[in-house]
Amino acid sequence: MSKGRGCLKNGCFGCLGVFVLLVVILGVNAIVVMSKSGDERIEDHVVGTELPVTNEQPETDPSQDADLTKPAAGHGWLILELGQGEFQLHPGEPGEGVVVKANYDASTYELLQYNTTWPDSAWVYHVDFHRTISGLQAMMRDVMGGNHAPKVHIFIPPDLPLELNVLVKEGGLDADLGGLTLTDIDLRYNKGGISLGFGDPLAQPLNSLVINGKMGGAEIRRVGNASPSFLDVNCTMGGMDLDLRGDWINDCEAQVEVFMGGMQVQVPDNIDFEGAGEGGGKLKRTDAEIARPVLRMHQKAKAGEIEIN
């Protein structure tokens, strides 16, 4: 019996030690937050590529082998790493480069940019916005009322061809990309909310549209106006509304996958739809005398459901 009481006593001391450690950690972070409570620096920043738009292609020597490690002439990559804030993507002004307008507390957040241009005029523009304090300190600032919510607006000119890569971490993104000149879109989010739409048709159909989300929710609108040749949508531990309506002009191979979540897919009646796969959902095929674009969808759901309407 005494041995049993000794184990219980040791267990209680162990729990007490963990509790004391947690109190110390919270106390230290609270002191740090309070000591910096007057250091807020709310600032407005405007950055961008400052790249002129041109449709001219540089002369090439056909006798020289192409360097496949470099992008095509004039082509661009816009890479956005966005964390812990409110972000919006808009069509910008024709003839301008990418413009980023940000309002944030410079003592808590950081805005970085990287710009690279190859000799053949291809370019990469990388924007990185993130929090510079721990999540626990940010939470305490929220409780104490001293956390300024950052807002970042990114403007993409409609006549600048580029591939768009976006990663959103613990933040919210609202984007309308209608009318832009995009070749591919890769959008990923983690612990956030996404609203992505194509209010107007793109200047040219997308080669690919990839959307991968974890622990968040997403609303994707009017995908047909982007008319991607390849569509890959993956939703893990969250929900998604996928609206495939719009002006489809080419065929599309699509795959949608859900793990521990739910997805609603809205299929338009201006295409021929072919569905196959597992995980539930209503499959239908629309036939018409006049040839129309074909959407071939493969679906997979694990611990979740895909509903097709």
Side-chain angles (χ1 to χ4, degrees):
M1 294 295 290
S2 61
K3 183 177 181 180
R5 287 195 299 270
C7 293
L8 180 61
K9 184 178 180 180
N10 291 336
C12 291
F13 277 119
C15 293
L16 179 60
V18 172
F19 176 75
V20 171
L21 180 61
L22 289 175
V23 170
V24 170
I25 292 175
L26 291 174
V28 170
N29 281 275
I31 293 173
V32 172
V33 170
M34 292 178 65
S35 66
K36 296 183 178 181
S37 60
D39 295 341
E40 292 85 359
R41 303 196 313 273
I42 310 303
E43 300 178 358
D44 291 303
H45 288 271
V46 179
V47 299
T49 60
E50 300 182 355
L51 292 174
V53 176
T54 175
N55 293 322
E56 297 181 1
Q57 301 295 325
E59 297 182 0
T60 57
D61 184 356
S63 64
Q64 300 294 326
D65 294 333
D67 186 352
L68 300 181
T69 63
K70 293 185 178 180
H75 186 72
W77 275 267
L78 175 58
I79 303 174
L80 305 175
E81 289 190 65
L82 310 173
Q84 303 92 27
E86 299 178 17
F87 309 97
Q88 294 189 21
L89 295 184
H90 318 266
E93 294 296 328
E96 295 185 356
V98 179
V99 178
V100 181
K101 298 181 179 180
N103 175 269
Y104 60 96
D105 181 357
S107 70
T108 308
Y109 296 88
E110 186 175 34
L111 173 63
L112 303 174
Q113 62 170 341
Y114 313 92
N115 200 339
T116 301
T117 304
W118 279 277
D120 63 357
S121 78
W123 54 272
V124 175
Y125 182 52
H126 183 180
V127 177
D128 182 2
F129 183 88
H130 60 272
R131 189 174 57 210
T132 56
I133 63 176
S134 68
L136 180 58
Q137 291 178 9
M139 181 182 66
M140 288 185 172
R141 281 201 171 196
D142 285 333
V143 173
M144 297 178 182
N147 192 20
H148 177 77
K151 296 182 180 180
V152 180
H153 295 262
I154 302 169
F155 299 87
I156 304 174
D159 48 358
L160 183 61
L162 56 85
E163 177 178 333
L164 180 62
N165 293 263
V166 184
L167 171 61
V168 180
K169 299 174 289 186
E170 302 177 18
L173 174 67
D174 185 5
D176 188 348
L177 305 180
L180 299 184
T181 307
L182 304 175
T183 60
D184 300 87
I185 298 176
D186 189 328
L187 171 62
R188 302 174 188 270
Y189 62 92
N190 188 1
K191 299 179 183 178
I194 301 297
S195 177
L196 170 65
F198 302 91
D200 297 310
L202 298 182
Q204 61 189 32
L206 285 177
N207 296 322
S208 64
L209 173 59
V210 178
I211 302 172
N212 193 316
K214 297 180 180 179
M215 299 179 66
E219 178 188 26
I220 314 299
R221 308 180 308 276
R222 309 289 294 181
V223 173
N225 284 340
S227 199
S229 298
F230 175 70
L231 175 64
D232 184 4
V233 181
N234 190 299
C235 178
T236 300
M237 298 180 67
M240 180 181 295
D241 290 330
L242 180 61
D243 175 13
L244 300 179
R245 295 176 299 172
D247 296 332
W248 287 92
I249 60 177
N250 53 245
D251 296 346
C252 176
E253 292 288 337
Q255 56 186 36
V256 295
E257 186 172 352
V258 169
F259 176 67
M260 296 182 65
M263 181 185 300
Q264 290 190 345
V265 182
Q266 187 170 1
V267 178
D269 19 351
N270 60 343
I271 60 172
D272 286 347
F273 176 73
E274 298 177 357
E278 58 185 65
K282 181 174 63 175
L283 305 181
K284 60 181 180 180
R285 171 67 187 268
T286 304
D287 295 311
E289 295 182 0
I290 301 177
R292 299 185 297 185
V294 178
L295 173 64
R296 301 179 181 88
M297 179 178 293
H298 304 271
Q299 57 175 317
K300 181 179 181 181
K302 185 176 181 180
E305 182 179 6
I306 300 174
E307 181 180 348
I308 300 179
N309 299 312

